[in-house]
Amino acid sequence: MPILLRMLSLLALLSVQPLAAEAAWGPLPPDTWRIQAGDPQAPGGAVVLEERLAFNRSNLEWHYRVRIVSKEGMRAASFPAFPVGLLALEGRTIRPDGTVTPFASAKDCRQEPTKPTPYQPIQTLLVPPGVTSDCVVEVYARTETLWFQNNQWMRPLTRPWPIRTFVFSIHSYVDQSWSLQDVGRHRPEISETWTTRTFTFRNLPAEDEGPYVLAPTLDRPTLIFSFNDRLRTPPDGNPDTFWTQVASMLNLFQVKRAVRGDAYKAFSEALRKELPASPQEAARTLLIRAHTRLVNIHERTWETRQRGKDAESSIPSTRPYMAIDIGMLSPRYRVPDLGKMVREGGASAYDWQWLAWNLLADAGLKPRLLGVSNRNAWIFRYSFFNINQITRYLIGIEEPGRETLWLDPTRPLLAPGVIPAPYQGTPGILADLPEEMARPFEVPVQPATANTQTFTYTMAFAEGRQTFDLSAAFLGQEAYLLRFAAKDAAPQGRDQALKDLFAARLKDWTLTGAQVRHHGDVAQPYGWSIQGARPWEAAGALRVHPFPGLASPLEIPDAWPPRRTARIVLPYLQTHRATCRLAIPKGYHVPPQAALEARNAFGSVSWQLKPSSRPEEAEVDLVITTDTLVAPAEDLEAFKAYLGWIQDALARVVTVERDA
């Protein structure tokens, strides 16, 4: 009887295990279930046993098999949803006891959206059913097309977990240009048939995934497909020749052939009335005026939706952002129709680049074009003959005696002159379009003073209550990030979100007011104010936190990986200032207290209790500066010390003692 039961159990198991023939997997490697938590083969709790990408004549096939050995490693089971062209998706989760949970479509998987940021669009991850901290997950997908963003498809071959075998094959009829970058020491085995070329990588190491890691700087092969039809590698192999071609093409299509018409001409003339005499101030004013009149459909706010509902409905909003429109690289290239943008009441982020360039040129401001790459995905390379590595164009305005003013016309919530953080300190390509010339250029790193956050507290003790009133102002990067995060909310919704944020931080306070200021006015610092109160009784000595609810300007990790090889990359340079004016309760005094003054290459931290000219008041000042953007891995201990000073300063309290 036991033998019969075992046979029936085996038959039942086999009846649910098989996948379709196209997704069929061979047997698991013999050591699969011997890999357990803590095994050096599975750092981070997972190891990819096999991954395969097949670029066929008319579709793409993906196979993925991963061994998960811990709760931490369960992330390895998730994969991005396929936005278009999905033909098949199936897989299974296998557990050590032989039980299997199959799935046959995206609907069978749990969806986990990522948090959107200004520089990374929201992405939906699919999590297969039945995933545990001890299992194997197998996934097969077939799509009819690649999802080209910015006219290219980019795929690093490494992951945060080791990969035993990674195979990709390319059919000879695949007509997009492709390249394999940064192979380095990871040399593939290459085999060919009359139709297919296959590359096999073995034992790819896990990516360094620690805090403050910039992925494109890691040692990882990257596969790139792109449309580059009109731009050919120059016979002399000279990058100057290639990028001069780019400047000539942009000047021809985006400037000389731009369709203007009466609507655009009237719009341009209206914007140019009574501009400031300073070229840079004129550029700021002109761009702000343009954004108040026309919608950017890729960065809409609650206010612009109310203002332009009818106009926006006629603007194609489903097209993903592209720095180079796919049409540019085909015979059906569409030149920018500036008049149509004005008539429709708005444009895409892509079109805003050329609308702004032409408006600035009309004003005689001699704009310059700077092609940049988002460093979170790719670092621009002058020697790589691919225009699609450019993800944005910044526009530069010169003025004698001043640094170049850089504008990003695709971001209406960004104050003119602020360079988005993912471009700072990276290489780019600077083009003078009328002259059709281009040269390599490093995007400036803006100083810490350009990104200043100021917090002003007043605190009092009266009538059985301790109260605080906080006013905050933000310049630069943080102002943009806050505006972007609140862009979809109505004004009262922004106030409520601010109140909810501080309520989560200050659970023993009652918040009595919250107000956001200057959300849509980028000519002003972004600001807000918030008030709170809690019961207080005169008793013994008081320990008063001078900055309730104040968050760290930098993430302070709970733990660090045991080994660091990647460079330390911070988001941007910044200055974080906080002041608290403390009204001393009657019958109390504030004795002198030790200051904190610390500095190293990463920045400085200062916390001081200052004497006040009024004996009934005390003042506490906190200043944190971040002065280094990139540092080698060897400086990790100094960086930890810097973050430790920040943590110490934010946790400090003021002792208020009873009078004798």
Side-chain angles (χ1 to χ4, degrees):
M1 188 67 176
I3 296 176
L4 179 59
L5 286 174
R6 283 199 295 270
M7 292 179 65
L8 290 173
S9 299
L10 180 60
L11 288 172
L13 178 62
L14 292 175
S15 69
V16 297
Q17 277 192 328
L19 301 178
E22 59 191 357
W25 289 89
L28 293 172
D31 67 339
T32 297
W33 300 114
R34 292 199 297 271
I35 305 172
Q36 296 295 321
D39 194 313
Q41 294 184 75
V47 55
V48 179
L49 303 174
E50 183 180 359
E51 185 165 8
R52 286 182 275 148
L53 278 172
F55 298 88
N56 303 319
R57 184 173 181 177
S58 59
N59 59 55
L60 165 67
E61 290 183 291
W62 175 58
H63 290 79
Y64 179 63
R65 173 187 270 175
V66 60
R67 168 74 171 116
I68 295 168
V69 297
S70 73
K71 186 174 181 180
E72 178 190 9
M74 290 170 65
R75 292 185 304 127
S78 62
F79 54 94
F82 300 88
V84 292
L86 181 63
L87 301 174
L89 174 66
E90 55 186 295
R92 60 188 177 183
T93 300
I94 310 170
R95 286 168 288 278
D97 62 2
T99 57
V100 174
T101 303
F103 61 96
S105 74
K107 294 179 181 178
D108 297 332
C109 301
R110 187 176 79 253
Q111 295 192 3
E112 290 186 351
T114 60
K115 185 178 179 181
T117 73
Y119 311 119
Q120 296 291 337
I122 190 169
Q123 185 181 51
T124 299
L125 299 179
L126 299 181
V127 182
V131 175
T132 69
S133 59
D134 187 9
C135 67
V136 170
V137 174
E138 296 176 341
V139 185
Y140 167 80
R142 188 173 79 257
T143 68
E144 63 184 356
T145 183
L146 293 178
W147 181 240
F148 282 81
Q149 184 78 8
N150 189 45
N151 279 352
Q152 70 179 6
W153 182 91
M154 183 181 297
R155 170 69 156 79
L157 304 192
T158 56
R159 292 178 178 270
W161 310 276
I163 302 176
R164 286 188 173 181
T165 304
F166 189 105
V167 180
F168 74 88
S169 57
I170 300 176
H171 195 281
S172 58
Y173 284 164
V174 173
D175 56 1
Q176 287 89 5
S177 60
W178 66 275
S179 65
L180 185 59
Q181 298 288 315
D182 301 333
V183 173
R185 59 190 174 90
H186 309 295
R187 296 293 173 181
E189 303 164 12
I190 303 174
S191 60
E192 295 187 52
T193 68
W194 70 279
T195 60
T196 305
R197 196 175 189 195
T198 301
F199 299 77
T200 303
F201 290 84
R202 301 194 188 279
N203 300 316
L204 290 172
E207 293 178 355
D208 191 333
E209 204 191 18
Y212 297 97
V213 169
L214 189 64
T217 64
L218 301 176
D219 176 22
R220 59 179 194 173
T222 301
L223 181 62
I224 299 174
F225 279 78
S226 61
F227 291 97
N228 217 17
D229 299 339
R230 288 182 181 268
L231 296 167
R232 301 299 182 187
T233 301
D236 59 1
N238 186 344
D240 294 344
T241 305
F242 179 83
W243 293 108
T244 298
Q245 272 189 80
V246 170
S248 299
M249 188 182 68
L250 292 175
N251 190 43
L252 173 64
F253 288 122
Q254 307 296 352
V255 180
K256 291 182 178 179
R257 294 187 181 177
V259 179
R260 293 170 175 263
D262 293 339
Y264 169 78
K265 290 177 183 177
F267 178 73
S268 178
E269 289 174 5
L271 294 187
R272 287 183 275 124
K273 288 181 179 178
E274 299 179 2
L275 287 174
S278 159
Q280 293 188 351
E281 294 310 311
R284 292 179 199 268
T285 302
L286 191 150
L287 188 58
I288 290 174
R289 287 177 181 176
H291 279 308
T292 59
R293 289 164 172 78
L294 297 185
V295 171
N296 180 327
I297 63 170
H298 287 107
E299 197 165 278
R300 288 173 288 188
T301 65
W302 182 87
E303 287 83 358
T304 59
R305 283 191 170 93
Q306 305 310 304
R307 189 184 77 221
K309 284 182 177 177
D310 295 336
E312 286 184 52
S313 64
S314 65
I315 306 169
S317 59
T318 56
R319 185 177 59 156
Y321 173 80
M322 296 182 181
I324 302 298
D325 196 302
I326 196 170
M328 175 179 291
L329 306 176
S330 73
R332 298 183 300 278
Y333 173 63
R334 178 185 58 81
V335 298
D337 189 334
L338 307 179
K340 184 180 179 183
M341 299 175 202
V342 174
R343 292 191 302 273
E344 290 182 340
S348 67
Y350 165 77
D351 288 329
W352 260 101
Q353 297 172 125
W354 307 112
L355 175 65
W357 197 97
N358 281 279
L359 288 170
L360 293 165
D362 290 349
L365 298 176
K366 299 181 179 179
R368 308 180 78 189
L369 202 65
L370 176 58
V372 293
S373 297
N374 184 334
R375 70 178 189 178
N376 296 316
W378 180 256
I379 306 296
F380 176 86
R381 299 175 188 183
Y382 191 64
S383 59
F384 180 38
F385 300 140
N386 188 339
I387 190 175
N388 300 307
Q389 60 180 310
I390 297 172
T391 54
R392 274 290 198 277
Y393 288 105
L394 305 181
I395 299 176
I397 303 295
E398 309 284 355
E399 184 171 334
R402 288 187 172 187
E403 298 288 335
T404 302
L405 174 74
W406 293 106
L407 308 171
D408 184 347
T410 70
R411 304 182 193 277
L413 297 176
L414 181 72
V418 178
I419 301 173
Y423 311 136
Q424 293 193 29
T426 65
I429 183 75
L430 182 63
D432 291 305
L433 296 192
E435 292 79 15
E436 298 187 356
M437 297 178 62
R439 63 179 176 85
F441 184 85
E442 184 164 316
V443 184
V445 176
Q446 294 185 307
T449 52
N451 304 302
T452 299
Q453 303 108 51
T454 305
F455 304 88
T456 304
Y457 287 81
T458 58
M459 190 171 290
F461 298 82
E463 300 177 353
R465 295 198 314 162
Q466 178 187 0
T467 61
F468 79 84
D469 190 330
L470 167 59
S471 178
F474 304 86
L475 293 173
Q477 305 294 333
E478 194 67 19
Y480 176 57
L481 295 174
L482 290 169
R483 284 185 168 112
F484 184 90
K487 65 184 176 65
D488 295 321
Q492 61 271 28
R494 294 171 191 144
D495 296 345
Q496 186 60 49
L498 173 64
K499 194 172 184 178
D500 292 344
L501 174 67
F502 271 77
R505 294 178 185 173
L506 302 173
K507 297 187 182 301
D508 56 343
W509 291 79
T510 299
L511 300 178
T512 56
Q515 183 179 21
V516 173
R517 300 189 300 271
H518 308 309
H519 179 272
D521 185 359
V522 297
Q524 301 290 331
Y526 183 87
W528 43 254
S529 59
I530 191 160
Q531 298 81 37
R534 64 181 177 182
W536 169 74
E537 292 183 6
L542 306 176
R543 291 171 59 81
V544 179
H545 194 301
F547 308 117
L550 185 62
S552 171
L554 291 171
E555 175 193 359
I556 300 178
D558 295 328
W560 296 83
R563 179 171 168 268
R564 175 89 181 204
T565 59
R567 283 180 284 179
I568 302 163
V569 182
L570 281 73
Y572 46 83
L573 307 187
Q574 61 181 307
T575 302
H576 195 78
R577 296 181 180 275
T579 300
C580 177
R581 292 188 180 276
L582 173 65
I584 303 171
K586 189 174 182 180
Y588 286 82
H589 68 279
V590 177
Q593 292 172 38
L596 169 62
E597 296 285 347
R599 171 181 289 277
N600 64 15
F602 287 94
S604 63
V605 180
S606 170
W607 188 100
Q608 291 185 332
L609 175 63
K610 292 184 175 181
S612 173
S613 58
R614 302 174 62 186
E616 67 274 15
E617 280 189 354
E619 182 177 311
V620 183
D621 285 347
L622 170 66
V623 181
I624 301 169
T625 64
T626 303
D627 301 324
T628 292
L629 192 65
V630 182
E634 292 75 23
D635 290 350
L636 180 60
E637 292 307 314
F639 184 50
K640 288 181 182 178
Y642 171 64
L643 294 179
W645 300 332
I646 295 175
Q647 201 167 21
D648 182 10
L650 292 172
R652 287 195 163 208
V653 296
V654 176
T655 301
V656 183
E657 296 181 349
R658 275 280 201 180
D659 293 340

